[in-house]
Every structure is written in C-alpha cells, then in structure tokens.
Amino acid sequence: MKKPSLDTYLYSAAGVVAMLLIAIAVNVIAARAKVRVDLTAERAYTLSPGTRAILKKLDTPVTIRFYATRNDNSVPAPLKAYAQRVDDLLGEFRQASNGQIEIQRLNPAPDSDAEDSARLDGVTPQPLRDGERLYLGLSVSLLDQKETIPFLSPNRERLLEYDLARAVSRVLTTEKPVVGVMSSLPVAGMKMPPGMSFGPQRGGEPAWVFYSELERDFTVKQVELTADAIADDIKVLLVIHPKGIAEATQFALDQFILRGGKLIAFIDPTAVLDRNAAQRGGMMPAASSSTLDKLLPAWGLAMDATKVVADANYTSRTRQGRSATILSLTERALNRDDLLTAEGDTLLMGLAGAITGKPADGLKMVTLIRSSPNSQLVDAQMAQMSGEETAANLAPTGVEYALAVRLSGKFKTAFPNGKPGKA
C-alpha cells in the first residue's frame, strides 16, 4: 500500500500544526492551506488540492462509518442541516478517492445495532433538550488502524475538511512523521546529571506542554542551534527564539527551505521566558532578542529587535498596572479566513515584535495576527520597566502591525555566494 508523503500529510488543507495541534499545532500543521467551504445555495464543498492529493494516493479501501441520528422529531433543524453538509462532504471525499473510500451511513436509534456500533467506535451521544440523545460522529478505519471523531461540532465546520482528511491520513500512516525543534529555550525540559537535583521534583524540569503535545502525534527530533545541516527526514522544523544563531546555521535553514522543507520560526525582540536573561537583569532586565538576520532580508522582511508593539486596544492588566505591550488579543486581531487562526478567540502576546517589509519577488505573504490601528512601536527595554507610562503616552500611528505572517512561493537563497566561510 502506498502512503502519502509526509509533505502532503502536513501541508494539505487537511494537513498542517496537527502540529501546532496545538495549537501549535496545528496549529501548525495545516499552515499553508486553507480549509475552504463553498457556502453556495447548493451547500457544495470544494476540496483543497492537498486533500485531493491524499485521497488520490489511496490504493486500499478505507471505511468511514458516519453516525447521524435521523429522528426528524427530535433533531434540531440546524443540526439536521449540518449533518447533511457533512454527508455531502463525505461524498466529495469518496468521489476524489476513485471509490477507495466506502461510506457507511448509520442511524444509531436507541437499543439498535447501529448504537452498539457507535459505542464500539467511540462515537459519543450528545443530550438534547427533550431528553433524547443525538449522535453525530464518525470513525475512519483501515485494517487494524482506526481514528474516531466522537462528535462533529458545528462550531468546527470551518475545519471540517481538515479534521476528516487528518483522520484519513492517520490511518494510512503507520510511522509518526518527523518534526524538528531548534530552540535556545529548554522547551524539551531539563534533566539533571546524577548526584545533582533541583526543582519541586528534584529531577530537573519537564518539557513544555506544546512539546509534549507534539510527541503525541510526531517523532520529535531536537536540532542544535549550532547545526550546519538539517537531517533529510525532517520535513517540518520549528525554530523557537534562536538567540545567537550562527550564520552557518542560517545557511542550513536556507538550504532546508530551498529543498522544500517547511520552517515555522518564532523570533522575538524580548523573550520574557528566557530565564538566563532575567537572572542577569538587575535594575534593567538584560535583553534577550532573536532574529534571522540573514534570511529575513532575502525574503523582503525585517523585524526591529529594539522595538515592541504597544496597542491601546489590547492592553492587559498586570501586577504593575496597565500594560500596552502585553497584548490581550481578541478574535479581531486574528485572520478568520486562515486555518491556523480561524478558530482562535483570544491570544496573549507579551512584548511582541512587528514584522515589516514587502515580500520578495516570487513570495506571497498572508498576515495571520495583527495589531489594531491604535498601536505604535516603542523601545523594547523601556517597555519592560514602565507599563503604565507606555500606556499613558501611547501615540497611535494608524498602522496595523503584523505580528505573525506566513510566506509561501518560490524562495531564493539568502547566500548567493555559497556556504559562509567557503570561497
């Protein structure tokens, strides 16, 4: 049986953040493609190219059991209509798979064989006001592999294609895809050498939550900040606060991107979670900035590591009072048309930098998170010391600063003269 490539799995509209599943996961993993729902009068769905690529590779039958309560008297009309839209999308999946997907439609009436099957598949009923129970879920199975969506919530309709295609991908994949993580922060936790101990458990520090979540769906490989090459089996690489990254490592990232690798980079003018910098702080906290100074200009972008965004619309309350640089972002700051941010409600970003510039020829930029027009750039060092003063003296520029973007297209090397240090 042929398997879809890792690149297809991670970057279809069905595919990226599973990684930032996270929300970084997805988050991150459906990053390049959008879930597209064609809300025409016919309520027809248009599958994304990534989903079609997955389905066309099927050469072994996959069974999808779709459980939907069809009691006309008890099912609310909106849920009934949504169930039909799910059914329509499943039909699109079957057609795109050249018949390799078999759809079984079951009505789990009380005390029926279909209800027993739903329970065995892990599909859970939802209570209705009249005391009846509603089933609206599905299971995807291939041989001994099974993935279940216990309840297809209408609130996730924008992500429906992603959820379905991800379930199909998972039953096809017997080995976890490989994701690389490079960071100057202890995101994978810290273990103490024998004979030494500290912390509440005297065993070091646990991995960060997002890292543990990644390990549930992926094989996670740590990549050193001094690496001069990225392993071939890594198709997605998270670079998190690459403080002090060497030119040779940026060359490795450059070559990784040129060969088709997907880079998710978190750069920061002031990393509030950098404990080493905080411990050296004194009266004025030590700077802890990171950037990709060789790569960003080649992409047409920039981030001033001495400035952070202050926003009057998204101020937060801290122990020291108001802070216009600790941004309590609402859904208005998030791109509602993109899979990664479509379902977001609120997001807290502290001392965030602004991404400026115009993408280089051949590249397309999509802004995922932005400030409001009531914002300005302020000195990063002073922002750490004077939250109230910054908020009081804020002078909005009318600019909506980009806080997170996605670049896609044809990248050109940032090192036209070859590897640094080589003639």
Side-chain angles (χ1 to χ4, degrees):
M1 180 185 71
K2 297 179 182 178
K3 298 177 183 177
S5 68
L6 176 62
D7 187 67
T8 298
Y9 169 65
L10 290 176
Y11 290 94
S12 62
V16 192
V17 187
M19 193 167 54
L20 287 176
L21 346 135
I22 169 173
I24 301 189
V26 288
N27 287 323
V28 245
I29 293 198
R32 286 188 55 189
K34 298 179 180 178
V35 170
R36 299 180 299 171
V37 181
D38 181 11
L39 298 178
T40 61
E42 295 77 22
R43 311 299 273 181
Y45 287 82
T46 303
L47 298 183
S48 70
T51 297
R52 292 185 180 277
I54 290 175
L55 299 177
K56 284 181 179 179
K57 290 180 180 290
L58 292 177
D59 61 0
T60 302
V62 172
T63 300
I64 298 180
R65 286 185 288 276
F66 176 41
Y67 298 94
T69 300
R70 304 185 187 278
N71 185 336
D72 291 340
N73 296 325
S74 62
V75 179
L79 287 175
K80 194 182 304 181
Y82 176 56
Q84 183 58 55
R85 296 197 294 274
V86 174
D87 203 347
D88 292 343
L89 181 58
L90 291 175
E92 292 289 332
F93 268 57
R94 184 180 186 281
Q95 183 176 356
S97 73
N98 297 319
Q100 292 289 5
I101 286 184
E102 176 191 358
I103 310 297
Q104 297 180 0
R105 298 170 175 84
L106 297 96
N107 178 16
D111 302 319
S112 65
D113 290 342
E115 185 177 50
D116 291 339
S117 178
R119 290 172 177 169
L120 289 173
D121 278 340
V123 175
T124 55
Q126 303 295 311
L128 298 174
R129 292 182 179 179
D130 59 4
E132 296 290 330
R133 292 181 298 178
L134 168 72
Y135 285 88
L136 186 59
L138 57 80
S139 72
V140 180
S141 58
L142 171 62
L143 301 177
D144 60 345
Q145 300 287 330
K146 181 191 293 185
E147 283 291 323
T148 298
I149 302 179
F151 182 69
L152 294 160
S153 171
N155 294 333
R156 286 183 63 84
E157 183 166 7
R158 296 172 66 89
L159 303 180
L160 181 58
E161 181 189 341
Y162 165 78
D163 289 339
L164 293 180
R166 180 185 179 192
V168 172
S169 295
R170 282 184 165 183
V171 300
L172 292 172
T173 307
T174 57
E175 296 182 359
K176 291 183 177 181
V178 178
V179 171
V181 176
M182 174 190 293
S183 180
S184 65
L185 303 174
V187 296
M190 295 178 62
K191 294 182 179 180
M192 293 302 298
M196 297 183 64
S197 62
F198 67 85
Q201 289 77 36
R202 297 184 177 276
E205 298 182 12
W208 292 15
V209 172
F210 94 89
Y211 192 94
S212 298
E213 286 295 311
L214 286 183
E215 291 182 311
R216 295 176 59 181
D217 279 343
F218 304 97
T219 296
V220 181
K221 287 190 173 182
Q222 293 189 59
V223 181
E224 295 297 327
L225 202 57
T226 55
D228 59 5
I230 308 302
D232 290 341
D233 61 347
I234 296 176
K235 300 299 188 294
V236 176
L237 176 64
L238 275 72
V239 175
I240 304 167
H241 190 46
K243 181 175 65 174
I245 186 170
E247 190 173 354
T249 304
Q250 293 190 65
F251 176 77
L253 299 182
D254 177 81
Q255 298 302 298
F256 170 74
I257 293 171
L258 292 180
R259 76 172 191 235
K262 312 304 178 185
L263 176 68
I264 303 172
F266 298 86
I267 55 178
D268 203 331
T270 304
V272 295
L273 296 180
D274 188 347
R275 295 182 181 177
N276 290 333
Q279 291 169 358
R280 299 193 306 268
M283 291 296 293
M284 176 67 76
S288 178
S289 64
S290 60
T291 187
L292 298 173
D293 61 325
K294 300 301 180 183
L295 300 180
L296 289 182
W299 303 338
L301 305 183
M303 185 199 72
D304 188 340
T306 69
K307 303 289 185 181
V308 298
V309 176
D311 196 319
N313 284 15
Y314 300 126
T315 60
S316 299
R317 300 295 302 183
T318 70
R319 292 179 180 178
Q320 289 74 39
R322 286 188 308 155
S323 175
T325 55
I326 306 297
L327 308 180
S328 294
L329 302 171
T330 68
E331 61 182 21
R332 291 186 178 183
L334 309 180
N335 186 338
R336 310 302 290 178
D337 295 324
D338 193 275
L339 176 62
L340 281 180
T341 47
E343 297 300 304
D345 294 318
T346 59
L347 182 65
L348 186 67
M349 295 185 72
L351 304 176
I355 300 168
T356 58
K358 180 181 179 181
D361 290 344
L363 297 180
K364 176 185 177 181
M365 185 175 81
V366 174
T367 299
L368 301 174
I369 307 173
R370 68 178 72 240
S371 72
S372 79
N374 290 325
S375 58
Q376 72 169 133
L377 299 181
V378 299
D379 182 80
Q381 285 285 68
M382 293 304 299
Q384 298 180 70
M385 302 295 292
S386 55
E388 281 280 4
E389 183 178 348
T390 299
N393 296 328
L394 195 148
T397 62
V399 176
E400 294 181 340
Y401 295 101
L403 305 177
V405 303
R406 178 192 293 113
L407 283 179
S408 60
K410 188 174 182 179
F411 287 82
K412 297 179 181 179
T413 182
F415 297 87
N417 296 323
K419 188 173 183 178
K422 299 244 178 173

